Amino acid sequence: MTRSRVPLLSALALLLPLAPLTFGGPAAAAAEPSPAAGSALAPALLAITNPGFEQGRTGWRFTSGTGVATNYPHGAARLAYLDGGAGKKVSQTVTATGPGTYDISAWIATGGPNGRYTARVNGAVAASLTLPSASNYRRYTLSRIALTPGDTLEIAFESGDSWVNADDVMLSPASPADPRISSSDPKIVEMFDWSKRKANSWVHLPGTRGPLNVDENRTGGSGSGTYAASYWAGYANRSGYYSRDMAHQLSGAGVLALHSENKSMLRSFAASATPEHKYYPAWAFNFDTSTYLSIDYKSPTNFVREVPATFELVQKSEEAYRWSGDRAYLDDPALWNFYRRATDEFVTLHDGLKDNGTIEVAEGTGQGIFQGTASYNEQSSEPLAEAGDAIGSQYQAYLAMASLARSKGDGALADRYETKARDLKAYFNSSWSGSGSGSAMVRGYTTDGRALTGWGKENSWFMPMKQIIDPGPRREAYLDYIDQQASGPGRPSNIEALTYLPDTFFRNNRNDTGWKWMKDVYDHKDIQHVNTKQGTNGDYPEVSFTLLGQTVEGLLGVAPDAPAHALSTGSRLPSGMDWLRIDDLRIGDSAFALRHDGATKSTLTHTSGTSPYTWEARFPGIHATLTVDGVPQAARTKVVDGATYTYATLAVAPGRTITVQAG
């Protein structure tokens, strides 16, 4: 069945009234504001008129053989089409009112190759893509187009060998950081370059007007609003971001220095975790960061909520603080009160089904996602009270709360949460997870008290990913089991589930397996997602963001600590990758270049910044000496989560390069 445009618009379509400016649909009553609602934003400095063609031809120029149709839109009701053959074009020209660098994305479907998607600045081509033959919509991006006040920007769709359909144009601010990868392995360079462009294309330009409450059942949305600093985190056919997705995308956003977006989104979730919601945060927000996404929120007692997300948002707030150095993560009452309640009142309030003695473990209801579920594994029908992903996330939230409290200067509170984390981990390993290994390890309990073993997807791999399993043979056996199940009949069908596997293995020093799963995710990016309305796997935002984070935190082993002007690194290069380098790695207000040669040589350049950074250069194993810029020095060792490292601690001033070699 062909999906090309209809040859002629009906008279009725031509007479339809014009809708307000959105990318997806007509206006209706705006959604009710949540407790996180903030002040209105100033208009964006650059705006596209009628980006979804819902106002017909308004704002666009059409040559002969082009027009607006209704037969095969990507979103809402209309699209632009171009017939096959040379010389046809649909274009819009806008004038910049301020300086900026932008990414321009559009959903495009084609009946044949050689169409063009082009951006011209003052008449000269700034970026252009030749389109392949792909009859299902895919999202294409023209990246990092720099404009000065008064520049004209033309966005053009140009005809090819067959029909071209275009819809839902989006303008994104280019990320503050432009990290670049080089390596002996061209695969990681290709992967990182694709991920960087794709991830940045999901970032919203604050002040842009767009639709609210768009989903597969309401493609036109419920109205329009002013978007705040945010990025897409969830299905591409919904106008919002999700707590689970955002938590997993945060480190990739940190690599791009999207600190304003991370804070804005985290704060919206934090402010929504009210007593009325029993301290659960809302599951999803519109991009205005102030209204709940209606498909997932019906009332204060009927909304999607999953126990691990509450804890992950605490952990990820601490990580965002380490990437950015922004003291708002300590001083903003909405954020601080959320951390305290999530790791205290929330746990107590949701612990009543299973007796865990003196240890509190937050529980779900076993009644589905709209009543509170214990696990991220939504494909399971198990009536879970407690789950491996929830208890693992609770452990990391305690550690994050201890870290934040210590940074805030409250040593007593930090000690309390370190004790809570230690006790929870000890209880997990001595009692909660049973005595079995591999498939026999307990990964959840039902509401009637039954222990569950075997493969649980998220409630399996989150346990080692959150490092709640003690190091040793039992954890190693469980990692083997996870890899076997995910590589065989237990493989999840949704790509976003697989994006967790590189994290799971890198954090447990399974470098080759972590890299294997990064390649697996990337190699499936052009396959249609199991939710066909979402588009391809690669157009699921989590894919690109997580590959960025896994390159930096996984392969390069970077742990940022901007508040302390510090970072640690440790090579996790897999077999066959001789060297890997990143440039324009931003931590706080500093930028770095880092290169690992195998597992025994690391070079760090502090390319820009205002203060020296302390660099802990780690190398796996025990080495008698470390050589710093050619000078041997006595080596020190430490054990981190069961792994032994030799390390050096060095001050790296802005402009300085230091090379450390082990052995």
Side-chain angles (χ1 to χ4, degrees):
M1 175 180 174
T2 181
R3 285 177 169 168
S4 63
R5 60 94 185 169
V6 290
L8 293 173
L9 292 177
S10 68
L12 177 60
L14 291 170
L15 293 172
L16 285 172
L18 300 182
L21 172 61
T22 71
F23 74 65
E32 288 297 316
S34 76
S39 58
L41 293 169
L45 294 176
L46 192 69
I48 300 168
T49 300
N50 188 22
F53 301 97
E54 297 308 302
Q55 300 178 51
R57 294 172 175 253
T58 300
W60 296 89
R61 294 180 180 176
F62 294 79
T63 67
S64 62
T66 68
V68 175
T70 59
N71 66 308
Y72 182 40
H74 170 261
R78 298 183 182 183
L79 66 138
Y81 72 85
L82 299 87
D83 288 333
K88 302 171 182 67
K89 184 166 82 169
V90 175
S91 63
Q92 180 173 153
T93 300
V94 296
T95 300
T97 59
T101 304
Y102 301 92
D103 285 12
I104 308 166
S105 304
W107 291 88
I108 303 173
T110 60
N114 296 320
R116 300 282 291 177
Y117 174 37
T118 302
R120 295 179 177 87
V121 176
N122 300 327
V125 173
S128 188
L129 292 173
T130 299
L131 303 170
S133 178
S135 59
N136 290 328
Y137 276 103
R138 296 183 181 183
R139 200 163 185 269
Y140 298 89
T141 300
L142 304 172
S143 299
R144 304 196 79 85
I145 298 166
L147 300 173
T148 59
D151 282 346
T152 59
L153 169 66
E154 181 193 37
I155 303 165
F157 305 99
E158 297 163 346
S159 57
D161 296 351
S162 186
W163 56 267
V164 175
N165 289 348
D167 204 355
D168 293 341
V169 183
M170 177 175 162
L171 195 67
S172 301
S175 61
D178 185 20
R180 299 172 299 283
I181 286 287
S182 53
S183 177
S184 60
D185 188 339
K187 181 79 169 185
I188 185 59
V189 177
E190 172 192 318
M191 184 187 300
F192 191 87
D193 287 349
W194 175 86
S195 300
K196 178 177 67 172
R197 293 192 304 271
K198 180 63 74 171
N200 192 83
S201 77
W202 296 112
V203 180
H204 286 288
L205 183 64
T208 299
R209 295 287 294 177
L212 306 176
N213 297 315
V214 174
D215 58 55
E216 53 271 30
N217 302 315
R218 185 160 52 175
T219 58
S222 65
S224 63
T226 301
Y227 288 178
S230 60
Y231 50 79
W232 229 290
Y235 285 142
N237 62 314
R238 296 183 183 177
S239 62
Y241 56 90
Y242 284 72
S243 54
R244 170 181 175 167
D245 296 72
M246 188 265 167
H248 200 204
Q249 292 174 212
L250 183 138
S251 63
V255 171
L256 296 177
L258 299 174
H259 304 316
S260 295
E261 288 78 6
N262 277 342
K263 183 170 68 174
S264 169
M265 296 160 74
L266 285 168
R267 193 183 190 283
S268 68
F269 289 120
S272 72
T274 61
E276 185 181 39
H277 289 157
K278 296 184 177 179
Y279 300 115
Y280 271 106
W283 185 239
F285 275 85
N286 284 294
F287 296 121
D288 60 2
T289 70
S290 63
T291 55
Y292 305 142
L293 194 64
S294 60
I295 192 172
D296 296 292
Y297 189 93
K298 310 303 179 186
S299 76
T301 59
N302 187 22
F303 65 100
V304 177
R305 49 205 190 271
E306 301 182 7
V307 173
T310 305
F311 297 126
E312 281 215 287
L313 291 171
V314 178
Q315 178 190 357
K316 297 302 175 175
S317 295
E318 195 271 345
E319 292 179 13
Y321 177 52
R322 300 299 161 194
W323 272 107
S324 67
D326 187 345
R327 278 197 61 89
Y329 287 103
L330 305 179
D331 298 336
D332 185 323
L335 289 166
W336 187 256
N337 290 337
F338 168 68
Y339 312 150
R340 293 297 312 273
R341 289 168 178 158
T343 54
D344 213 331
E345 288 102 319
F346 176 83
V347 181
T348 302
L349 186 61
H350 298 283
D351 178 24
L353 294 172
K354 180 183 182 300
D355 183 5
N356 295 294
T358 60
I359 302 298
E360 292 184 319
V361 178
E363 298 169 342
T365 64
Q367 298 175 15
I369 60 174
F370 274 87
Q371 296 304 316
T373 180
S375 175
Y376 278 153
N377 185 1
E378 297 176 356
Q379 298 177 1
S380 170
S381 59
E382 297 166 336
L384 287 167
E386 297 178 3
D389 45 346
I391 194 171
S393 298
Q394 183 176 334
Y395 167 67
Q396 283 295 331
Y398 285 164
L399 291 177
M401 186 65 233
S403 172
L404 290 162
R406 203 164 297 284
S407 295
K408 198 173 173 72
D410 192 336
L413 187 63
D415 290 344
R416 175 176 172 244
Y417 276 98
E418 285 171 354
T419 299
K420 286 167 73 75
R422 185 173 59 250
D423 291 348
L424 181 64
K425 186 173 186 177
Y427 169 66
F428 172 91
N429 286 281
S430 64
S431 303
W432 193 95
S433 62
S435 58
S437 183
S439 63
M441 185 182 290
V442 174
R443 43 88 181 174
Y445 289 87
T446 61
T447 53
D448 60 2
R450 288 181 295 115
L452 297 175
T453 58
W455 182 231
K457 297 181 179 176
E458 284 88 346
N459 51 67
S460 288
W461 64 66
F462 261 63
M463 294 191 293
M465 189 183 79
K466 296 297 185 182
Q467 299 177 305
I468 195 171
I469 305 177
D470 281 336
R474 190 166 181 245
R475 186 171 73 183
E476 296 306 311
Y478 202 64
L479 289 165
D480 289 340
Y481 173 68
I482 290 168
D483 187 43
Q484 291 162 4
Q485 289 297 308
S487 300
R491 179 185 176 92
S493 58
N494 54 326
I495 194 74
E496 60 272 27
L498 293 170
T499 63
Y500 288 100
L501 294 177
D503 300 303
T504 299
F505 291 103
F506 281 130
R507 287 174 192 170
N508 290 280
N509 298 304
R510 295 284 193 99
N511 304 340
D512 286 356
T513 311
W515 176 231
K516 162 193 158 179
W517 284 108
M518 283 183 72
K519 291 187 290 185
D520 185 280
V521 168
Y522 180 72
D523 289 343
H524 286 82
K525 68 181 172 57
D526 294 325
I527 296 173
Q528 195 73 12
H529 192 273
V530 290
N531 173 6
T532 57
K533 294 180 189 233
Q534 141 68 37
T536 64
N537 285 332
D539 284 326
Y540 198 107
E542 199 167 350
V543 170
S544 53
F545 277 92
T546 54
L547 289 173
L548 291 177
Q550 288 152 4
T551 300
V552 175
E553 295 183 338
L555 291 168
L556 288 164
V558 173
D561 192 355
H565 294 98
L567 75 158
S568 66
T569 67
S571 171
R572 294 196 186 109
L573 301 192
S575 303
M577 189 181 292
D578 297 331
W579 61 273
L580 177 63
R581 175 185 171 112
I582 187 169
D583 287 277
D584 199 26
L585 172 64
R586 306 282 185 91
I587 300 174
D589 64 357
S590 286
F592 299 89
L594 171 68
R595 172 171 168 150
H596 292 316
D597 288 87
T600 59
K601 182 180 178 182
S602 298
T603 301
L604 183 73
T605 301
H606 192 168
T607 53
S608 67
T610 57
S611 302
Y613 259 65
T614 300
W615 175 32
E616 183 175 286
R618 295 180 181 176
F619 301 90
I622 298 175
H623 301 273
T625 61
L626 293 177
T627 301
V628 179
D629 289 337
V631 179
Q633 64 174 239
R636 292 177 290 173
T637 61
K638 64 166 58 175
V639 177
V640 180
D641 195 37
T644 300
Y645 298 95
T646 303
Y647 71 99
T649 303
L650 305 156
V652 190
R656 188 180 178 193
T657 297
I658 297 180
T659 298
V660 185
Q661 190 158 4

